[in-house]
């Protein structure tokens, strides 16, 4: 006889527990929410059979490749054969209509989720968007807000179809343009001396695009392929995107003032009117801020320090060292190392006395304020 779900302390099951997001979810549920987690993954975690996972999990999360998720849900639905009744099933994919429809064929309660980020280095989704598609929710309606609050994400509610149509633009269009840029640079850059030869001539826009492009190329290519191929709203978006690129190419080939005027009207003036003055102003200001940030991060005169004590006064103690050593600071930024450690990047005046900088580094360690991770 199946045991009733434990709504206070549910056992979490993860299908795809050995994947990047599966591993992050396990840590999140265990460390952040204090819940027991069981999982299964054909690529490294097969201690439980699918049937055992269904039996033990009060909340079952499907964290699998986009193209495989719907079929996987169908397999688990058939195997569960009603044992999932009263439990909660979730999925974590970049499309929502197909997996949510597949989960609705089960007897479980159903919520589709889409974290708008790769698995972060942080323990929560703070600062990231989490799309939430409530499809069938009753007994778990009290637990869901608790779970969402624990993620610290900026939660956006949507219907699955609405989500997919928007993702064709937010993800599909953005990825398509950067993939095209990468392929174009592959063809043109060698004749210009390579990427390193181009870099000194960079603009802020080129550098920002380059960061996004390299991030994509460094990630799992299957994810980006699935986002293009599995969302039915992507093909019509690509048709519109290609049409506008073709229009620009044809006007440039044509040359002359009429062609220039036509280009300005269709690709600049009309979109400018659509965005509106307030949005354009905010975007321009945001661009300037990112430019200042890139400038700060490019400065070689800096010290990166990990502060082990995350408490009031830690940063003040660090800054006091620079004050005592008479070092003028240019910038302060907090971020995380690739290992996920929170650190502060302190930029200082490049004209600072090197001996004073070394004295500051020594004082930071001697006083136990923090650990210097990098210095110029």
């Amino acid at each position: 006889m199946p045991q009733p779900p434990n709504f206070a302390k549910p056992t979490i099951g993860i299908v795809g527990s050995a994947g990047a997001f599966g591993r992050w979810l396990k840590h999140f549920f265990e460390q952040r929410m204090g819940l027991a987690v069981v999982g299964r993954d054909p690529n490294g975690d097969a201690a439980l059979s699918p049937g055992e996972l269904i039996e033990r999990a009060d909340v079952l999360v499907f964290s699998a490749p986009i193209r495989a998720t719907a079929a996987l849900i169908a397999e688990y639905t058939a195997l569960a054969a009603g044992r999932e009744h009263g439990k909660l099933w979730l999925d974590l994919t970049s499309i929502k209509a197909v997996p949510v429809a597949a989960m609705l064929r089960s007897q479980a309660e159903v919520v589709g989720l889409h974290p708008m980020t790769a698995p972060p280095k942080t323990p929560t989704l703070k600062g990231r968007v989490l799309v939430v598609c409530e499809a069938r929710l009753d007994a778990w309606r009290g637990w869901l807000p608790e779970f969402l609050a624990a993620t610290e994400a900026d939660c956006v509610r949507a219907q699955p179809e609405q989500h997919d149509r928007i993702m064709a633009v937010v993800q599909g269009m953005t990825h398509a343009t950067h993939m095209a840029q990468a392929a174009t640079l592959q063809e043109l850059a060698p004749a210009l001396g390579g990427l390193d030869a181009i870099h000194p001539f960079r603009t802020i826009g080129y550098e920002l695009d380059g960061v996004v492009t390299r991030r994509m190329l460094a990630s799992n290519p299957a994810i980006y392929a699935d986002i293009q191929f599995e969302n039915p709203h992507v093909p019509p978006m690509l048709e519109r995107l290609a049409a506008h690129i073709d229009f620009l190419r044809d006007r440039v080939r044509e040359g002359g003032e009429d062609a220039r005027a036509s280009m300005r009207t269709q690709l600049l003036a009309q979109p400018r009117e659509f965005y509106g003055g307030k949005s354009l102003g905010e975007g321009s200001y945001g661009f300037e801020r990112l430019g200042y940030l890139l400038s700060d991060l490019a400065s070689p005169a800096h010290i990166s320090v990990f502060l082990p004590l995350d408490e009031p006064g830690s940063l003040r103690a660090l800054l006091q060292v620079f004050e005592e050593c008479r070092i003028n600071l240019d910038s302060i930024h907090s971020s995380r190392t690739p290992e996920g450690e929170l650190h502060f990047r302190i930029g200082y005046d490049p004209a600072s006395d090197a001996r004073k900088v070394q004295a500051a580094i020594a004082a930071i360690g001697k006083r136990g304020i923090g650990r210097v991770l990098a210095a110029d």
Side-chain angles (χ1 to χ4, degrees):
M1 185 73 177
Q3 294 295 315
N6 183 346
F7 298 107
K9 284 287 186 179
T11 295
I12 308 297
I14 302 175
V15 181
S17 54
F21 238 117
R23 297 192 303 271
W24 185 90
L25 284 170
K26 184 177 188 299
H27 186 270
F28 166 81
F29 282 117
E30 289 179 340
Q31 301 300 318
R32 181 72 176 176
M33 299 191 71
L35 301 178
V37 178
V38 292
R40 174 174 172 78
D41 194 308
N43 297 317
D45 185 1
L48 292 180
S49 69
E52 291 170 326
L53 184 58
I54 291 169
E55 192 70 38
R56 291 182 58 181
D58 298 311
V59 177
L60 189 61
V61 186
F62 292 91
S63 179
I66 298 171
R67 67 164 72 184
T69 298
L72 195 60
I73 293 169
E75 291 176 14
Y76 273 71
T77 299
L79 186 60
R83 288 182 294 164
E84 76 280 16
H85 180 75
K87 298 187 178 186
L88 176 61
W89 282 13
L90 312 171
D91 85 293
L92 250 68
T93 51
S94 296
I95 61 170
K96 292 272 69 76
V98 171
V100 166
M103 288 191 292
L104 285 173
R105 296 186 190 102
S106 74
Q107 295 184 35
E109 297 186 24
V110 173
V111 177
L113 301 173
H114 181 194
M116 301 297 294
T117 177
K121 302 292 186 184
T122 53
T124 70
L125 297 175
K126 186 176 182 179
R128 272 83 166 186
V129 170
L130 175 64
V131 182
V132 181
C133 300
E134 291 186 19
R136 184 164 63 215
L137 199 61
D138 182 20
W140 290 93
R141 187 167 295 279
W143 182 82
L144 183 66
E146 178 185 344
F147 159 59
L148 296 178
T151 69
E152 298 187 324
D154 181 6
C155 294
V156 178
R157 308 281 175 157
Q159 294 299 314
E161 180 74 11
Q162 174 197 21
H163 166 276
D164 291 356
R165 292 176 67 89
I166 292 174
M167 285 308 107
V169 174
V170 171
Q171 289 189 310
M173 183 176 69
T174 301
H175 297 166
T177 54
H178 284 94
M179 285 189 289
Q181 287 185 39
T184 303
L185 278 170
Q186 177 192 5
E187 295 172 353
L188 300 182
L192 302 174
L195 295 176
D196 289 344
I198 296 173
H199 185 71
F201 298 87
R202 66 193 180 278
T203 63
I204 295 173
Y206 174 85
E207 189 163 8
L208 291 174
D209 273 355
V211 168
V212 176
T213 299
R214 292 194 298 272
R215 168 72 171 182
M216 286 180 53
L217 297 178
S219 302
N220 184 353
I223 295 174
Y224 297 99
D226 282 357
I227 287 172
Q228 298 293 326
F229 283 81
E230 300 299 322
N231 188 336
H233 303 288
V234 163
M237 176 280 298
L238 291 174
E239 292 289 344
R240 298 311 313 144
L241 181 64
H244 289 301
I245 293 294
D246 288 347
F247 172 81
L248 174 60
R249 179 201 60 203
D250 293 344
R251 297 294 77 74
V252 171
R253 282 178 176 175
E254 181 182 330
E257 289 304 316
D258 288 345
R260 290 170 181 261
S262 179
M263 186 277 288
R264 288 195 301 268
T265 297
Q266 182 165 320
L267 299 183
L268 294 173
Q270 292 177 354
R272 182 166 58 229
E273 183 177 352
F274 167 76
Y275 275 90
K278 181 181 179 181
S279 176
L280 294 176
E282 291 173 348
S284 181
Y285 175 62
F287 184 86
E288 293 296 331
R289 291 177 64 194
L290 289 171
Y292 295 139
L293 175 61
L294 289 174
S295 177
D296 287 345
L297 297 181
S299 173
H302 76 277
I303 297 174
S304 291
V305 183
F306 167 61
L307 297 184
L309 298 178
D310 186 9
E311 61 184 22
S314 295
L315 179 58
R316 181 178 60 189
L318 174 63
L319 298 180
Q320 186 175 352
V321 171
F322 292 94
E323 180 180 352
E324 292 173 358
C325 293
R326 309 297 295 173
I327 299 173
N328 188 41
L329 301 184
D330 284 346
S331 63
I332 303 174
H333 296 286
S334 65
S335 60
R336 292 187 180 271
T337 66
E339 293 74 33
E341 288 186 336
L342 178 66
H343 77 284
F344 286 89
R345 187 185 192 280
I346 311 295
Y348 56 86
D349 185 347
S352 299
D353 188 320
R355 291 171 298 179
K356 292 182 178 179
V357 173
Q358 291 303 314
I361 292 174
I364 291 169
K366 185 177 181 180
R367 299 181 190 181
I369 296 172
R371 184 174 78 253
V372 175
L373 305 176
D376 66 335

